[in-house]
Amino acid sequence: MKTLTLLRHAKSGWDDPVARDFDRPLNAKGKRAAAMVGRHMRSLGLVFDHAIASPAVRVSETLEQIESGYGRTIAPDLDRRVYLASAATLLDVVHGFPAEAESALLVGHNPGLEDLVLMLVADGADPLRDAVEDKYPTASIAELQFEGDWASIATGTARLTRFIRPRDLDPTLGPDAD
């Protein structure tokens, strides 16, 4: 069984005067949320034998904070295709994961990550899927499991086993006006 964990970058700073969206950094709340999610990942004993991430600044900064809480280096391969990718493009990336990888991490952006979960997990009476469909907030992780190999993953073939939002770990990390 293969496990795919999807991590959306943490909350970024829209007030930062960067010239390109690609260069937008995290804000203070995003840094705090990512570190907390990293600590939670460590407490769950999550491990990855393959990782791919968008090269955007907010993703790199998210990973730095995740690693500080997680207590280990993730060191993903950076893949420009993941930056603001559609679900179809993300699925193409997943199809290319090494066959020997059992547990992989994909770090990127919405709406692609949310759409990928909704594509891969069949619609039905699943409260976790419903929560993803409602909103896939920044710094949230979704864990999906599949039978078979990475290349055979297709629409409706996944089971969503976890969906963890920062506000589930600390209510102060929930929605606000910042």
Side-chain angles (χ1 to χ4, degrees), residues 62-76:
T62 296
L63 283 165
E64 288 172 14
Q65 295 302 315
I66 289 283
E67 289 171 347
S68 75
Y70 186 52
R72 61 174 60 173
T73 301
I74 296 171

Side-chain angles (χ1 to χ4, degrees), residues 12-32:
S12 58
W14 286 94
D15 296 335
D16 198 293
V18 295
R20 302 180 315 158
D21 174 75
F22 186 89
D23 298 321
R24 204 160 22 96
L26 296 185
N27 66 18
K29 184 176 180 179
K31 290 177 182 178
R32 193 165 57 94

Side-chain angles (χ1 to χ4, degrees), residues 65-132:
Q65 295 302 315
I66 289 283
E67 289 171 347
S68 75
Y70 186 52
R72 61 174 60 173
T73 301
I74 296 171
D77 294 332
L78 300 181
D79 189 330
R80 192 139 178 90
R81 295 176 298 164
V82 177
Y83 175 65
L84 302 181
S86 68
T89 298
L90 293 173
L91 186 55
D92 285 344
V93 170
V94 170
H95 284 157
F97 286 179
E100 65 276 5
E102 292 297 321
S103 182
L105 175 67
L106 178 61
V107 189
H109 311 267
N110 248 8
L113 291 176
E114 177 179 331
D115 291 345
L116 183 61
V117 172
L118 299 177
M119 174 196 298
L120 296 177
V121 178
D123 197 2
D126 182 345
L128 285 180
R129 188 187 188 283
D130 293 344
V132 169

Side-chain angles (χ1 to χ4, degrees), residues 33-47:
M36 176 164 285
V37 168
R39 286 190 296 277
H40 191 67
M41 289 167 61
R42 180 180 61 214
S43 76
L44 293 172
L46 300 184
V47 293

Side-chain angles (χ1 to χ4, degrees), residues 48-69:
F48 311 103
D49 47 25
H50 186 66
I52 297 280
S54 162
V57 169
R58 59 191 178 275
V59 170
S60 298
E61 290 185 359
T62 296
L63 283 165
E64 288 172 14
Q65 295 302 315
I66 289 283
E67 289 171 347
S68 75

